[in-house]
Amino acid sequence: MSDWITVGKLDDIPRLGARTVITEAGEFAIFRTSDDRLFALRDRCPHKGGPLSQGIVYGNAVACPLHNWSIDLSSGEAIAPDVGCVRTREVKVVDGMVLLSA
Amino acid sequence: MQREKLVLIGNGMAGVRTLEELLKLEPEMYAITVFGDEPHPNYNRIMLSPVLAGEKSFDDIILNSPEWYAEHNITLHTGSPVVSIDRQARKVITADGTEAEYDRLLLATGSSSFILPVPGHDLDGVIGFRTIADVDAMLAAAGSHKNAVVIGGGLLGLEAAVGLLNQGMAVTVIHLPDVLMERQLDEESAKMLQSELEGRGLNIITGANTECLVGEGRVQALRLKDGREIPADLVVMAVGIRPNIQLAKESGLHCERGIVVDDTLLTYDPAIYAVGECVQHRGNVYGLVAPLFEQGKVCANHLARHGIGHYEGTTLATRLKVTGIELFSAGNFTGGEGTESIVMKDPARGVYKKLVIRDEKIEGCVLYGDTVDGAWYFELLRNGSDISAHRDQLMFGRTHLSDAGHGGENTADHMADSAQVCDCNGVCKGDIVNAVREKGLFTLDEVKKHTKAGASCGGCTGLVEQILAATVGGEYVAPDKKPLCACTDYTHDEVIKAVKEQRLTNREQAMSALDWHTPDGCPTCRPALNYYMLASWPAEAVDDPSSRFINERTHANIQKDRSYTVVPRIWGGVTTPAELRAIADAAEKYDVPMVKITGGQRIDLVGVKKEQLPEMWADLNAAGLVSGHAYGKALRTVKTCIGSQFCRFGTQDAIQMGIDLEKMTWASWTPHKYKMAVSGCPRNCAEATIKDFGVVGIDGAWELHVGGNGGLKVRVTDMLCRVTSDAEVLEYAGAFMQLYRENARYLERTAPWVERVGLPYVKQHIVEDAAGRQALYARFLESQRIGQKDPWAEHTKPEHRLEFVPMKAEA
Ligand code: SRM
Ligand SMILES: Cc1cc2nc3c(=O)[nH]c(=O)nc-3n(C[C@H](O)[C@H](O)[C@H](O)COP(=O)(O)OP(=O)(O)OC[C@H]3O[C@@H](n4cnc5c(N)ncnc54)[C@H](O)[C@@H]3O)c2cc1C
Ligand code: SF4
Ligand code: FES
C-alpha cells in the first residue's frame, strides 16, 4: 500500500518556482522555496481561481499572477488583509524524487 | 534566549509609531515597556480639533487600543509619568516609585503648550490645547459658560477658536502680529482667511498684546496693553509649544531647545534614542507629524540593529483643518531676492494661489480656497523639478497639464463616499476613508494593502493620497524618500546607483550588498532589481526568471482563464501573405479560439494553452516570425502610417523608418513598456504624438517627440527637436531610449519620467550634448548586440520546455 505518489525529480522544479501536477483531486502546484522546502497547493487562487503555480515565489509565499494576492505556502491561507484559503497536501523528497501525499 | 529590554517614555504619536516600525523589522528582539503620562492609550493628537468641533469622538481617534499593546506583549503604564532616569544603573523611575530597567531607552516625551507668563495665567479656566484633557475642559466650559478667548492666531489657535464657536461660545482671537498665521501665510491669503472667519462669527483682534488675565478663582476677562478688556470665561493659550526636555536634562543628556540627536536619532548617550517633538535635529525642532514618522522609521531601523537609514530633516507643508476652509502652504512663500512669484487671484471664487520660483524651481507656495494641487506643487518643490517646460500651465494645476479628460471635478474633497476611486479593484472613497479610520492607516502602502486601492495600475494613487491626507487630518505628507518596497530602506534611485557603482550582477549578491530585510525580496522589488542589473550590466548580469512576472517568464500574456496570447512581431506594421499564412496555419493547427487584430497593428492569437506555446513558437519561427513582446516591459510596437511610398501627402518614408527603428530596438528591456510610431506627415495618422518616442515627417526633416502615451492618463508628447537625416533619427531614438533605460525607475513610463526630470534635462542630454548623445547611443547598441535575442527561439529548445508541461503523477 502506498500513501504517496511520485511526481518527478526535485531537479525538475526550479528554486523560487513551481511545477504543476494533475491528480484525481485536481491540478496541484508544487512550490520550491529558496531554501529547498517544498509545498503543494491546489493550483487555484482563492480570489478568482488564478494559477498560483505561475506566480512569483518569495519567502514562504507566492503572489498570484492575476491580481497579486499573496498566499502562505505552508497553510494555504491568503495573507492578510486578504482572506481565503486553498487546499494543501503534503510533499516530501526521497532520493531526489518528489512524493505527494495521495 | 532572554530578550533585551526596551523602555519607551512617552506614549504618544512618535514613540508608538517607532515601536510599530520596530515590530515590523524585529518583532522578537525586545521586551518592551511603555510609560505614558496621560491616562489613555495612544491617540491621534491631530484629531483633537475635530473632537472639539464635535465631528469625532475620542474613541474615533484612538490609534493603538489596549489590545494592541497586549497582542505585542508590550507592558503599558498609563497615567504614570517618569520622574527620573538613572543612566548608570540603566533604569527609569516613575512618580509612584515604579522602576524599570532598560538596555535601550527611547524618549518621546513630545511637547507642551507654552503658557504665557502674564499675571493671571494660573487662574481656573486658562488652558493650553494639547491633550484630550484640554479638549474635555473646553467642552465643559462650552456647556456652562459663554465667552471664550483664544490667544494666538496660528494653526492651532484658529482650530481651537472654530471648534469653540461650533460649540456655541462667543469667541475672540487675540493675535500679536498684524496678520493671522504669519508663519504659514502671506498677507493676501491671511486677509482672505480673516474675512472668511469673521464671516463665520469669530471676533479677531490682530496686532494685540495681552497685558494680563483678570478674575478671582476663575478667569473673567483678558486685558490688552491698550487697555481694552475682553470678557472671558475660558482662555485657551495657543502661542506655541515647548519641547518636554526637563527629564532628559536632569539626567544629564545634552539638550538645547530640544534633546540633541544625530542623524540616527541617537542622543549623546549611546543607549538612549529620542524621537518626536522633544528632539532637536540639525538645529531644527519640529511641530508636525510628518517629520516624526520619518524619524520613527530611521530610529526603528537602528534599534533593530539593521543600521541603515539616515534622517536628514524634513521639508514641511501645512494645512488648516477647519471644515470648509481650504488652505495649504509650503516652503518659502514670501519670496525675496532672486525669486519670482506667479500669483492668481479670483476673489469672487475666494481663490488665491501664489507660487514662488527660483531658478525655474518651485521654492514655496500658498494656496487658499483651492488646494487640490498642493500635494503636486509640494512634490515638485521637494524634488527640485525644473518647471520651465510647463511654467505657463503650472498655475492651472496638474489636471490641466496632463490629465485631460479626467477633468478637475474628481478631486478627493468633492467626491461622494460612493464614488469609485480605484477602477481596477472597484474601491470607493468611503471604503478608503473607513479603512483609514478604523485601522489607523497612515501610509499609502498601508492603504494599498488593506483596500487594494491603487494596488493594480496605480492610476489612482494621487487621489488615494489626497483622501488619505484629508482623512488623517489634512496633514499627511507623502514621505520625502519612499523606499522601493518594504524589503529595503533604499529608494529606487539609490538602488540604481548602487547597482552601477558596486557592479551588482546577481540577485543574491545585490540583496546582501544592500542589506535586504527579507531573504528572497518580494514581487515588487525582485522584478525591479532584476531589471536594474540587466540594464546596467547587459553582459554580466544574470537574468533571473524567478524574478520575472509570469508574462515575461513565459513570453506570453496570461489571461484570466489561464490561457495565453501569442503576438508575433509585425515589423513596422508591414506583413506578407506568407507570414499571414503561417499565422493562419498556426491558428488552425492549435485550435486557437480567437484571432484578433490588436490596437498596435499586429495580430493576436488569443486563448493558447501553456503546453502549446513552445510548439506554436517553433512553427511561427520557421516562417520567420519572432516574439512581439506584447507582454513585456520592453519595446512593444512601432506603428507606422503609409507614408511617402504611397500617400499623396507623404513627405517622408514612414514605413521604412518604422521598420528600421523596430529592427534596432526590438527585444530590449525597458523600465516600463515602450512604444514608438512614425507618421509620414503632420496629419500624423500613426498617432506618433502619444507614444514614448514619436517621429513625424515634415518636408525635408523629421520631428522627434518624447514622453507621450495613451492609456490611463493620456499625455501628449513634448517636442524634442528636428533632425534632417534618417541616421540621426536612429541615433536620437537609441540615445533617448538608453537615457530612459538607465535613469527611470522601474514601472515608471516615459510620460511620468519626463514630467519628473523635466524636458530641459532630456534636451540637455539628447540635443545639446552631442558627445553624450553618441555615448548613450553606443551603450544602447552594445546592449542590443548582447541582448537582442528572440525569446521564442530560446524557449523552444528542449531544456527550456520543461516548465511548460505538468509533471506526471505515478501511484
Ligand atoms: C492586445 C492589446 C489590445 C488589442 O487587442 O488591441 C492590448 C492588451 C493589453 N494591454 Fe494594452 N493592449 C494593446 C494596445 C494598447 C494600446 C494601443 C497602442 O499601443 O497603440 C494602448 C494605449 C497606448 C499606450 O500604451 O500609450 C494600451 C494601453 C495599455 C495600458 C495603459 C498604459 C499606460 O501607460 O497608461 C495597460 C496597463 C499597463 O501596461 O500597465 C495595458 C495592458 C494591457 C494588457 C497587457 C493587460 C494585462 O496586463 O493583461 C492586455 C493584455 C491582453 C492580452 O493578453 O493580450 N495596455 N494598450 C493591444 C496590443 C497591441 C500590440 O500589438 O502589442
Ligand atoms: C490640537 C492639535 C492639532 C494638531 N494638528 C496637527 C496637524 O494637523 N498636522 C500635524 O502634522 N500635526 C498636528 N499637530 C501636532 C502633532 O499632534 C504632534 O506633532 C505630535 O503629536 C507629536 O508627537 P510626539 O510623540 O512627539 O508627542 P506627543 O504626541 O505629545 O506624545 C508625547 C507623550 O509623552 C507623554 N510624556 C511626556 N513626558 C512624559 C514623562 N516624563 N513620562 C511619561 N510620559 C510623558 C505626554 O503625556 C504625551 O502623551 C497637532 C497638535 C495638536 C495639539
Ligand atoms: S483595455 Fe486593455 S487591459 Fe483593458 S480589457 Fe482591454 S485589453 Fe485588457
Ligand atoms: S485570482 Fe489570484 S489574485 Fe485574483
Side-chain angles (χ1 to χ4, degrees), chain B residues 88-110:
Chain B
Q88 254 71 44
R90 293 207 173 172
K91 61 179 185 182
V92 305
I93 303 148
T94 67
D96 64 10
T98 310
E99 297 191 355
E101 293 179 355
Y102 65 83
D103 296 298
R104 290 275 182 285
L105 178 63
L106 178 59
L107 296 175
T109 48

Side-chain angles (χ1 to χ4, degrees), chain B residues 560-679:
Chain B
K560 63 181 190 182
D561 65 353
R562 324 175 153 221
S563 70
Y564 290 82
T565 61
V566 171
V567 183
R569 207 163 270 291
I570 306 279
W571 307 98
V574 179
T575 182
T576 62
E579 282 181 351
L580 291 173
R581 205 168 285 124
I583 293 172
D585 286 346
E588 276 182 355
K589 178 169 166 192
Y590 299 98
D591 216 5
V592 172
M594 177 174 280
V595 180
K596 180 180 182 301
I597 307 295
T598 73
Q601 297 188 334
R602 322 202 271 185
I603 296 170
D604 195 352
L605 300 170
V606 187
V608 182
K609 297 193 184 65
K610 191 176 179 190
E611 309 83 87
Q612 297 177 322
L613 289 171
E615 289 293 323
M616 188 172 195
W617 292 340
D619 289 356
L620 293 170
N621 269 173
L625 291 156
V626 299
S627 166
H629 292 86
Y631 46 80
K633 306 301 171 215
L635 177 83
R636 296 281 179 93
T637 57
V638 182
K639 294 215 301 195
T640 62
C641 74
I642 198 81
S644 64
Q645 281 189 39
F646 304 95
C647 177
R648 66 199 165 109
F649 294 118
T651 59
Q652 294 283 3
D653 188 349
I655 294 177
Q656 192 56 48
M657 178 54 77
I659 294 174
D660 291 349
L661 280 169
E662 192 161 354
K663 294 257 166 174
M664 175 176 87
T665 53
W666 75 284
S668 65
W669 300 112
T670 41
H672 204 307
K673 60 168 93 168
Y674 194 93
K675 299 179 180 178
M676 297 197 269
V678 187
S679 290

Side-chain angles (χ1 to χ4, degrees), chain A residues 4-9 12-13 15-16 19-22 27 30 34 43-44 49-51 53-59 63 65-66 68-69 81-82, chain B residues 449-452 455 507 519-523 526-527 544 546-550 553-554 558-560 562 564 610 802-803 805-811:
Chain A
W4 297 87
I5 37 181
T6 309
V7 293
K9 296 200 293 277
D12 290 344
I13 308 176
R15 284 215 175 97
L16 290 178
R19 294 284 305 281
T20 59
V21 55
I22 297 163
E27 197 164 356
I30 304 183
S34 57
D43 195 18
R44 293 187 64 81
S53 55
Q54 313 299 304
I56 290 184
V57 180
Y58 64 108
L66 294 194
N68 212 24
W69 279 31
D82 294 320
Chain B
K449 258 197 214 125
H450 284 266
T451 65
K452 295 288 165 205
R507 171 164 50 84
D520 307 333
C522 74
R526 283 227 313 267
D544 171 21
S546 81
S547 292
R548 294 250 192 198
F549 182 63
I550 183 64
R553 211 179 325 138
T554 29
I558 195 166
Q559 307 291 305
K560 63 181 190 182
R562 324 175 153 221
Y564 290 82
K610 191 176 179 190
L802 207 54
E803 71 157 299
V805 288
M807 297 174 103
K808 284 211 181 61
E810 292 162 33

Side-chain angles (χ1 to χ4, degrees), chain B residues 493-520:
Chain B
D493 294 346
E494 288 165 345
V495 173
I496 296 174
K497 195 159 162 254
V499 165
K500 285 183 192 152
E501 285 174 0
Q502 303 178 36
R503 217 185 176 85
L504 302 175
T505 55
N506 74 62
R507 171 164 50 84
E508 283 88 358
Q509 173 208 19
M511 287 188 177
S512 99
L514 298 175
D515 297 315
W516 238 249
H517 306 327
T518 47
D520 307 333

Side-chain angles (χ1 to χ4, degrees), chain B residues 146-196:
Chain B
K146 183 157 174 289
N147 296 312
V149 170
V150 175
I151 309 183
L155 221 45
L156 220 55
L158 294 180
E159 288 182 11
V162 174
L164 292 168
L165 196 66
N166 283 1
Q167 295 297 340
M169 295 189 86
V171 185
T172 304
V173 175
I174 305 290
H175 193 52
L176 184 59
D178 288 330
V179 296
L180 293 176
M181 286 180 66
E182 72 288 348
R183 298 213 338 252
Q184 285 86 18
L185 297 184
D186 64 355
E187 209 175 318
E188 197 96 21
S189 46
K191 288 265 155 63
M192 293 177 83
L193 174 65
Q194 180 162 350
S195 59
E196 163 74 32

